């Protein structure tokens, strides 16, 4: 039987990361319809409630059960509103390594939710699941995603040349982790946000084989251009200091499991 992540929920100071539910479909469809998510990811467009239901009912559970990774909905403790998604993918159980991606809803950008969610997952991976490496890949123009990687203590390991495809305005419309959408750069005013993190696989034709959308010939034509990717890594020792493991911007809060 293939190794796999358990069904679990992770609590941070402001957020609850939990399995995706059918009730999330309307919020998920609205989140994925954002033009910044389209520009920086390879998700289907339009992303409908039917796609969202398929993800919640079939694709995300299969992604976890087969050991490829896990998909978690990110919600606010206070309102229970869907803030975003976090996905672990390309999991190597022998190396105890995996890659993280995230999407943040347009309304929630600029609140620091992306680094808080990613840090909570990293703590859970290293301390509860015994993982030894977490990777994050950001498009070269994606300064907001790069800020997230820096805030959690990620180390830039180099550039993967021409390793990603962005859609719309030659990638100039936004910042995004390929597979994560939504933090606003610290210097970007709220009313002028053109950058996000995008959620997707590493197959430029659609969601990757680990689980999601595989488009047919009816996919809308969208302007595309190639982009370099910056590879970031996070290891357990990068979180050894109290400041790194529970930074002040996260309220000094550590994750709590809610199995």
């Amino acid at each position: 039987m293939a190794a796999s992540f358990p069904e679990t929920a992770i609590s941070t100071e402001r957020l609850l990361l939990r399995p995706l539910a059918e009730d999330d479909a309307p919020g998920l469809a609205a989140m994925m319809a954002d033009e910044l998510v389209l520009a920086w990811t390879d998700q289907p467009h339009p992303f409908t409630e039917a796609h969202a239901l398929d993800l919640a009912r079939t694709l995300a559970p299969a992604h976890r059960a087969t050991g490829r990774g896990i998909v978690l909905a990110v919600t606010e403790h206070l309102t229970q509103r869907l803030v975003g998604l976090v996905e672990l993918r390309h999991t190597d159980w022998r190396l105890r390594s995996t890659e993280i991606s995230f999407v943040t809803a347009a309304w929630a950008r600029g609140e620091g939710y992306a680094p808080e969610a990613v840090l909570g997952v990293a703590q859970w991976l290293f301390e509860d699941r015994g993982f030894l490496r977490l990777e994050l890949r950001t498009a070269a123009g994606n300064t907001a995603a790069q800020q997230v990687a820096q805030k959690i203590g990620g180390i830039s390991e180099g550039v993967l040349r021409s390793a990603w495809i962005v859609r719309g305005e030659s990638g100039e419309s936004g910042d995004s982790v390929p597979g994560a959408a939504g933090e606003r750069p610290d210097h970007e005013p709220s009313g002028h946000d053109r950058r996000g993190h995008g959620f997707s696989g590493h197959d430029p034709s659609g969601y990757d084989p680990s689980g999601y959308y595989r488009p047919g010939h009816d996919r809308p034509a969208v302007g595309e251009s190639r982009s370099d990717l910056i590879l970031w890594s996070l290891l357990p020792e990068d979180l050894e200091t109290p400041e790194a493991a529970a930074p002040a911007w996260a309220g000094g809060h550590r994750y709590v499991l809610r199995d």
Side-chain angles (χ1 to χ4, degrees):
M1 183 174 178
S4 63
F5 291 112
E7 287 192 357
T8 192
I10 301 169
S11 178
T12 68
E13 181 185 20
R14 300 175 296 171
L15 305 173
L16 176 65
L17 288 73
R18 56 159 175 77
L20 195 62
E22 292 184 17
D23 289 347
D24 296 318
L28 179 58
M31 179 170 62
M32 293 300 196
D34 181 68
E35 65 179 81
L36 301 181
V37 180
L38 171 65
W40 286 93
T41 72
D42 58 8
Q43 67 169 312
H45 178 70
F47 190 100
T48 66
E49 286 195 28
H51 287 116
L53 286 170
D54 193 32
L55 178 59
R57 290 172 177 168
T58 304
L59 301 175
H63 185 62
R64 186 194 65 80
T66 55
R68 294 188 293 259
I70 192 170
V71 179
L72 296 170
V74 183
T75 62
E76 282 186 319
H77 282 309
L78 186 62
T79 66
Q80 310 302 311
R81 193 175 180 185
L82 185 68
V83 168
L85 286 183
V86 170
E87 180 196 8
L88 297 178
R89 63 159 73 98
H90 302 152
T91 304
D92 188 318
W93 292 95
R94 182 169 179 266
L95 294 178
R96 310 299 289 185
S97 173
T98 191
E99 180 184 332
I100 194 166
S101 63
F102 53 92
V103 178
T104 307
W107 66 268
R109 292 172 188 158
E111 300 297 327
Y113 286 140
E116 183 174 333
V118 173
L119 181 62
V121 172
Q123 292 171 346
W124 171 69
L125 280 170
F126 295 152
E127 299 172 17
D128 186 77
R129 308 312 306 170
F131 269 62
L132 300 174
R133 178 179 172 88
L134 180 63
E135 291 187 358
L136 181 67
R137 302 182 184 207
T138 66
N142 186 356
T143 57
Q146 292 157 26
Q147 288 179 5
V148 172
Q150 292 167 349
K151 285 179 178 179
I152 66 170
I155 303 300
S156 175
E157 293 188 343
V159 176
L160 306 177
R161 296 184 299 164
S162 196
W164 186 246
I165 292 179
V166 296
R167 299 185 295 194
E169 296 184 13
S170 299
E172 295 176 359
S173 61
D175 293 335
S176 153
V177 171
E183 281 305 294
R184 179 179 301 118
D186 291 340
H187 63 275
E188 191 79 30
S190 175
H192 296 83
D193 181 23
R194 298 287 294 167
R195 303 181 177 187
H197 306 294
F199 180 85
S200 69
H202 284 164
D203 177 357
S205 65
Y207 282 118
D208 76 356
S210 66
Y212 308 139
Y213 177 78
R214 298 290 300 177
H217 296 296
D218 59 344
R219 179 165 180 169
V222 180
E224 296 182 343
S225 62
R226 300 198 71 88
S227 171
D228 294 346
L229 285 178
I230 301 173
L231 174 62
W232 305 80
S233 68
L234 192 70
L235 307 183
E237 52 264 35
D238 298 325
L239 298 184
E240 284 181 351
T241 65
E243 294 78 10
W249 55 263
H253 189 88
R254 297 187 62 77
Y255 83 97
V256 177
L257 288 180
R258 292 189 175 185
D259 292 315

